[in-house]
Structures are given as C-alpha cells and as structure tokens.
Amino acid sequence: AAPTRVFAFRDARWAPDPVLEPSAAVRSPQPAPLVIDNGSFQTRAGWACPDPSVPAEPLLRFRSLAARSRGARGGAGAETQVGNDLGSPEPLRWLLRSPFDRNVPVQLELQELLLDHVFQRLGVSSQGCVDHPIVLTEAVCNPLYSRQMMSELLFECYQVPKVSYGVDSLYSFYHNRRQNWPCSGLVISSGYQCTHILPVLEGRLDAKNCKRINLGGCQAAVYLQRLLQLKYPGHFAAITLSRMEEILHEHSYIAQDYIEELQKWRCPEYYEDNVHKMQLPFSNKLLGSTVASEEKQEKRQQQLRRLQELNARRREEKLQLDQERLDRLLYVQELLEDGQMDQFHKALVELNMDSAEELQSYINKLSLSVEQTKQKILQSEVNIEVDVVDSKPETPDLDPLGSEQSLEDVESINEFEPLFAEEQPEVEKPVAAVQPVFNLAEYHQLFLGTERIRAPEIVFQPSLIGEDQAGIAETMQYVLERYSKEQQAILVQNVFLTGGNTMYPGLKARIQKELLEMRPFQSSFQVSLASSPVLDAWYGARDWAVEHMTREEGWISRKDYEEKGGEYLKEHCASNVYVPIRLPKQAPRAAEAPSRASGTGNPGEQA
C-alpha cells in the first residue's frame, strides 16, 4: 500500500524584525556599503564588509508589503506596518500595498516606508542622513523615470554619499561565475512577477536582445487558487494565497513532458501513489453526531432551568410593581370612602384619571393581574420541582416495593408530563448505529493531483491562463536565433537559472529537454542552477560591493546626480546599459524670425 501523504498547512506567522546593533567594523575605517536586494516579493538587506565580525549574509528578509490602518475613532491615529511586522498577510489582505508595478517600483512613498524599515532595523545611527554607500538592485532595462525617482529619494531624502544600481539576476550570475571571468552565458531569471531571458556576452548584458515574460510565482499562485476554489467550493475562504504559495514552494514540480505526465495521472494507481493531501484546519465540534446524547440532554435541561429561573424572576418583578401600584390605587379609594374629596381629586389628577369609576376599573384589572401572576409563580415552582424529579433516570423504579407514596409521586409526575413532552429523552440507539459514514478530516482535505504540475507549467505554456505570450522555450529560441551560430554555441554552454521561481524540482531537466529539441544534432550545451536562487542576487551584490569599495567604477556620487540628473547610471559588469534621454534639436528662434518676416512681407510674390 502507498504511504498516506497528508500534509498540514504550516500557516507560519512572521516574527517582527528586531532592531540590530551594527558592529563597529561597519563604521571604521570608513562606512561600509549597505546592500539592498529590492525584490517585488521580498526585500533583503545587509552589510558588505570584509571584516569577519560582520555576517556575510542578509540580516533582514521581509516581504515587500506595507499596510496602513485608518485607526479607531477617538483612539490612536493611523498605524503603518511593514514586512514581518504584519504577522500574517491574510487578515490584512485588503489593506496590503506594494510599491511595485510588476517588478518596477512606482509608488515611491511606499518604497520610502520599506527603506525606513531597513535603516531603522539595521541600526543606522547617523543623524539626519544615511552616510553609508548604497548598493541597490533594479529591474532589467529599468525605466529612466523609475531610476530618477529612486535616486531622488536616496540623495534628497536620505542624503546618501553614493549609490550603485545593478540587476539582481546579473549579480547572481556574477556570484556563481566561473574562473574565466568575464564569461558569456544565457541567464534565465524567473521571479515573483516576471521571467527574463538575458544574454550575457563577455561579461556584459546585451540589452537589445533581452526578453521578458510577464509571468512568475504570483500568477502561478493565483491560478492554483482559482483551480482549487473551483474544485472545492465548500472551502472557498480557506483556500488563501498564502497557502497556495506554500503549496507551490513545497509540493509542486515541473513535468519534463507535460502531456505525458498528464497521461500518467489518469492511471488510478499512479494517482494514489503521488497525490498529496493538504489538511485544512477543522473542529470536531462542528459535527452534531460527535456530541454524546447524554451531553445534549444535560445541556437542554440546563437551558430549560435557566429559562424558568429567568421567567420566575421577571414575574416576581412584575408582581412587585403591580402590587405597589395596586396599593397606591387602594389608598386613593380609601380617601374617597373617608370623604376627603379635595385630596381624592388631587390624587386622581396625579394618576391621570377622570372619575371614581375609572379608578375602580383599574383596581379590578390590577387585582386580577396580581392574582394571575401569583398563580404563575406557584405553577413555575411546581414545574421546577417536577423537572428535578423528571431528570432522575427510570423514575417508576425509584421505589421497588411499590408503596402508596411512590405511586402518588408517579401520578403527580404524569399530571405535568404534557408540559415537558418536548424535553423527554427519546429512546436512543447505540452510538455506533447512528454515526454516519462520513470522515470529517477527509472532508477538509485538498487533494493535489495534476494541480501540482498545472500551476508551474504556465511559464512554459502561458495559454493555460489565457495569456497571449510565448513561454520560456519559445522565447529562449527566439533570443538565440538573433545571434550567429558561433555566438549561439557560446551562449548555450552556460545556461544559468536563477530566481525564486526556478526552485521547482524538474525545472533544470525541462530546460535541458527544450534545448535538446531546439539545438542542432550532436551539439553540446550545459545548464546550471544557482547555488541559492533566492539569495544569490544579494550575495553577488555584496561580492561586487566589497571588490569595488575603494574604486569609482559603478558608483554614482552626489555630484554626478546633481550634474547629470537622477536617471544617470554608471555601468559595471552587473548593471543595465545606460541609454540617456536624447531630445530632438530645435531650430534657433533667431533664424526662424527673418524667414517668417520675408515670407509674410511680399504676399504678391507668394501668390
């Protein structure tokens, strides 16, 4: 028998980031660069310092999200939470905001919140400014406007001394470089929002032939959520995006041949051996049959007693009020009988009555009401006594000798039995006979069959979700065909996979299969995966920062920013290609004026 593959959702909560105390090595002999991998899914930050006392790993890792609550009325003002301070994204899903549109930061006020969080938690203690150089990642072929706004934020708001921009996937390629650097290769980077095919020739990005696919881990999670919500409409609210991301990270894989893999899943034996069952949280108390019948009866009797006590208390209060009003009316009637007419008429006016007949009518009604209430109170006391007697099991067998007293008790119980007929316990069958054939735990399970391969497949077949785009294989072939055969052979010798969306099992084998189909017969190629697809971008940026700490290459100083504008970029081995804005030259106005004058001065010649 196949082992049962039942997995529980971890639903892990994010722990708030502590405020770290930086080492003295990051301040002396000169401020160490601060490396920030500004990803659309996660932000990673840490120090680039060769000193062994400074950890050579990102000290902060948090989701690139912020939520701003409006605050309670009359209470504290709006509260802003960033990254791991959110705890869990699902309760605040409708409040979450990201500075990114796809993989390009466009909401700079939200980007400022993320940077504030980074500087505060890393313990940057400089007054009024951040006096550390900044190494920041940006998107491939980042729009000039986005870089301009980011430079303005860093130089004007934080007063940084210098900044360097680089592409995250190229930093990862730089970190995993071989001995013969600069080298060439084809970088396939797939992240949360986008997938890029980047050709690198002699250590530099060939930006003209870069291609982007607008699909990544976010679209796969939304597609998987839609599939499971259609499959399990009863658990619509429990199928959240966070849980879908957990399924993608831990239970999905890339099929080497998608159609062939679907045919395998049609086999019942293969399905039973490979299906993953995700256990949703549930409670046994939701099912009525799981509660013992004795507990039901006890709860029902307790509720009945509480209702009877509540009714008795209300009747006593009503009896007390009616009795006080009746005593007041009888006192006024005694004034009439004693002949004190002035006080009698004054009392009638206070009671809002017109005559003695009306007074007598009210006295009769109140007297009747008081008597009826007293009878109900007495009846309820008897009912409570009967209920106590009735709650004892097997009442007729209390007196096995059959004395007269016990028979009278039984007769008195039978007199009040109609009052509580609905509360009498029914003759119950054994519990095993009434339990339905229904497994509550299995009802709250999500069976992951073909969904394990359907969601990640969208980067190879975007048409699965209705996207009119080419997949990775077609785009890779299109990029390679733009080069000569010699350059193609060089590029395919180093096909490099990086990014969080490339961590699916089987992705490397799938890329090898696609290359085998598109490359000429008996040609060679090599596919490699980043040592840490998620963190290698930060590690590569740190390597570059440590090596170029004392150089001017790749750093944009404040003087460069003021002279050449915020969109200016100093190129380096892992950066974008700088394309300055070229405005068309306008003709000088002084030369235009004489021509206009000569044209308008002789209308006869023009005719």
Side-chain angles (χ1 to χ4, degrees):
T4 56
R5 293 180 172 86
V6 181
F7 304 90
F9 285 107
R10 290 184 289 107
D11 291 335
R13 289 184 60 85
W14 304 335
D17 295 316
V19 178
L20 303 174
E21 286 292 333
S23 172
V26 303
R27 300 290 306 168
S28 61
Q30 59 182 355
L34 181 57
V35 180
I36 303 175
D37 182 9
N38 193 33
S40 59
F41 178 76
Q42 193 178 60
T43 300
R44 307 164 193 93
W47 301 105
C49 184
D51 193 283
S53 63
V54 180
E57 59 184 14
L59 301 178
L60 284 182
R61 295 176 61 184
F62 59 90
R63 287 288 298 270
S64 302
L65 297 172
R68 181 174 294 165
S69 60
R70 296 179 180 178
R73 290 184 178 179
E79 181 184 3
T80 301
Q81 295 176 316
V82 176
N84 292 331
D85 292 346
L86 295 170
S88 176
E90 292 308 325
L92 303 171
R93 180 66 68 180
W94 64 285
L95 284 175
L96 295 180
R97 298 292 181 269
S98 172
F100 292 88
D101 181 8
R102 294 290 181 179
N103 60 334
V104 177
V106 293
Q107 301 286 341
L108 270 299
E109 63 275 7
L110 296 175
Q111 182 66 57
E112 184 178 353
L113 292 176
L114 299 185
L115 292 177
D116 285 342
H117 185 78
V118 168
F119 297 143
Q120 179 190 4
R121 299 307 167 94
L122 285 182
V124 177
S125 58
S126 50
Q127 293 294 327
C129 67
V130 177
D131 57 354
H132 293 270
I134 303 294
V135 179
L136 191 69
T137 61
E138 63 177 6
V140 181
C141 302
N142 192 34
L144 295 181
Y145 177 74
S146 176
R147 186 185 302 131
Q148 177 186 356
M149 298 299 293
M150 185 67 74
S151 296
E152 182 178 342
L153 178 65
L154 292 173
F155 284 110
E156 301 293 346
C157 180
Y158 295 107
Q159 306 292 324
V160 298
K162 56 184 180 179
V163 65
S164 176
Y165 296 106
V167 180
D168 50 0
S169 51
L170 297 183
Y171 278 134
S172 179
F173 186 64
Y174 180 77
H175 178 69
N176 291 270
R177 64 189 184 275
R178 300 176 181 175
Q179 298 296 329
N180 54 342
W181 180 264
C183 60
S184 301
L186 190 67
V187 179
I188 301 177
S189 170
S190 185
Y192 189 59
Q193 293 283 358
C194 299
T195 299
H196 292 93
I197 310 294
L198 310 177
V200 178
L201 294 173
E202 297 299 327
R204 288 297 292 125
L205 173 69
D206 185 7
K208 291 183 179 180
N209 293 320
C210 292
K211 297 299 173 185
R212 181 180 74 176
I213 306 169
N214 290 321
L215 292 174
C218 176
Q219 289 75 22
V222 172
Y223 180 48
L224 180 61
Q225 183 186 36
R226 193 180 309 157
L227 288 175
L228 292 180
Q229 284 177 343
L230 288 172
K231 186 176 180 180
Y232 299 99
H235 305 307
F236 192 90
I239 301 174
T240 61
L241 275 177
S242 298
R243 288 173 176 166
M244 297 306 100
E245 291 171 0
E246 182 179 335
I247 291 176
L248 285 175
H249 295 165
E250 300 181 7
H251 303 278
S252 298
Y253 67 97
I254 297 286
Q256 189 168 353
D257 188 319
Y258 183 66
I259 302 300
E260 182 181 340
E261 191 73 16
L262 288 180
Q263 294 296 330
K264 291 181 181 179
W265 278 100
R266 296 183 63 182
C267 175
E269 291 79 10
Y270 186 86
Y271 180 88
E272 290 296 332
D273 292 343
N274 294 277
V275 67
H276 283 199
K277 303 174 184 178
M278 303 303 300
Q279 183 67 62
L280 293 171
F282 69 97
S283 175
N284 284 325
K285 295 182 180 179
L286 297 177
L287 192 62
S289 62
T290 58
V291 181
S293 57
E294 293 82 2
E295 296 180 4
K296 284 185 182 179
Q297 183 65 20
E298 182 65 26
K299 289 181 180 178
R300 192 181 303 169
Q301 291 179 357
Q302 290 178 1
Q303 292 174 356
L304 177 64
R305 292 193 191 98
R306 283 198 295 269
L307 287 175
Q308 289 175 343
E309 292 172 359
L310 181 62
N311 289 333
R313 195 159 50 246
R314 288 178 177 174
R315 292 191 187 101
E316 291 176 357
E317 293 174 356
K318 183 177 181 298
L319 176 62
Q320 184 178 0
L321 292 175
D322 290 347
Q323 188 65 46
E324 291 177 357
R325 186 169 179 79
L326 180 61
D327 294 342
R328 172 66 175 165
L329 295 180
L330 292 175
Y331 171 73
V332 175
Q333 190 179 33
E334 289 178 0
L335 293 179
L336 176 62
E337 294 174 354
D338 295 343
Q340 301 178 10
M341 301 305 296
D342 294 339
Q343 296 182 6
F344 173 71
H345 288 297
K346 186 177 179 180
L348 279 182
V349 172
E350 292 178 355
L351 294 173
N352 198 16
M353 296 183 183
D354 298 329
S355 61
E357 290 78 9
E358 186 178 358
L359 174 65
Q360 186 62 41
S361 174
Y362 270 99
I363 290 175
N364 294 336
K365 290 180 181 179
L366 275 177
S367 300
L368 181 61
S369 176
V370 168
E371 289 299 325
Q372 289 178 350
T373 305
K374 289 181 179 180
Q375 291 179 4
K376 288 181 179 179
I377 291 175
L378 292 175
Q379 185 70 27
S380 65
E381 292 176 356
V382 174
N383 288 348
I384 293 176
E385 292 177 0
V386 172
D387 181 60
V388 172
V389 174
D390 186 46
S391 63
K392 296 178 181 178
E394 301 180 2
T395 305
D397 296 336
L398 286 175
D399 190 354
L401 299 179
S403 64
E404 293 182 1
Q405 184 65 31
S406 64
L407 291 175
E408 291 176 0
D409 291 341
V410 172
E411 290 174 359
S412 64
I413 292 171
N414 293 332
E415 290 178 5
F416 295 105
E417 189 172 359
L419 298 176
F420 298 97
E422 60 181 9
E423 301 300 331
Q424 292 299 322
E426 300 176 356
V427 178
E428 297 176 356
K429 299 178 181 179
V431 177
V434 298
Q435 269 193 338
V437 183
F438 181 75
N439 190 337
L440 184 62
E442 187 172 337
Y443 174 73
H444 286 84
Q445 287 176 2
L446 308 179
F447 285 60
L448 300 179
T450 57
E451 292 84 7
R452 296 177 59 195
I453 61 173
R454 290 176 70 182
E457 183 68 19
I458 64 171
V459 294
F460 289 93
Q461 300 185 56
S463 58
L464 289 176
I465 58 174
E467 290 288 341
D468 188 15
Q469 300 183 47
I472 288 182
E474 294 88 345
T475 307
M476 186 166 49
Q477 184 174 7
Y478 178 80
V479 170
L480 288 174
E481 288 176 351
R482 299 175 70 89
Y483 295 96
S484 64
K485 293 184 178 180
E486 293 76 13
Q487 289 177 320
Q488 290 183 27
I490 294 174
L491 289 174
V492 297
Q493 289 302 318
N494 188 14
V495 179
F496 179 71
L497 307 178
T498 185
N501 204 42
T502 62
M503 299 178 67
Y504 296 114
L507 178 64
K508 181 178 177 181
R510 176 68 175 270
I511 296 293
Q512 290 173 339
K513 172 181 173 294
E514 300 290 351
L515 280 171
L516 185 64
E517 293 177 354
M518 71 177 68
R519 295 298 298 155
F521 178 63
Q522 289 187 344
S523 62
S524 63
F525 56 84
Q526 186 173 356
V527 181
S528 60
L529 181 65
S531 57
S532 176
V534 175
L535 296 179
D536 274 358
W538 188 91
Y539 289 136
R542 179 191 177 277
D543 296 343
W544 183 91
V546 170
E547 293 175 8
H548 295 76
M549 189 181 300
T550 58
R551 306 182 195 175
E552 293 297 326
E553 176 191 355
W555 294 102
I556 305 170
S557 64
R558 185 173 186 84
K559 183 179 179 181
D560 295 330
Y561 164 74
E562 293 173 349
E563 290 181 357
K564 302 176 182 179
E567 69 276 3
Y568 177 66
L569 173 69
K570 274 192 177 179
E571 297 183 11
H572 56 86
C573 61
S575 73
N576 278 307
V577 176
Y578 176 53
V579 182
I581 300 176
R582 301 184 187 276
L583 298 176
K585 293 184 178 180
Q586 297 181 355
R589 295 184 179 179
E592 293 177 0
S595 63
R596 290 181 181 176
S598 62
T600 57
N602 300 321
E605 295 179 2
Q606 291 181 4

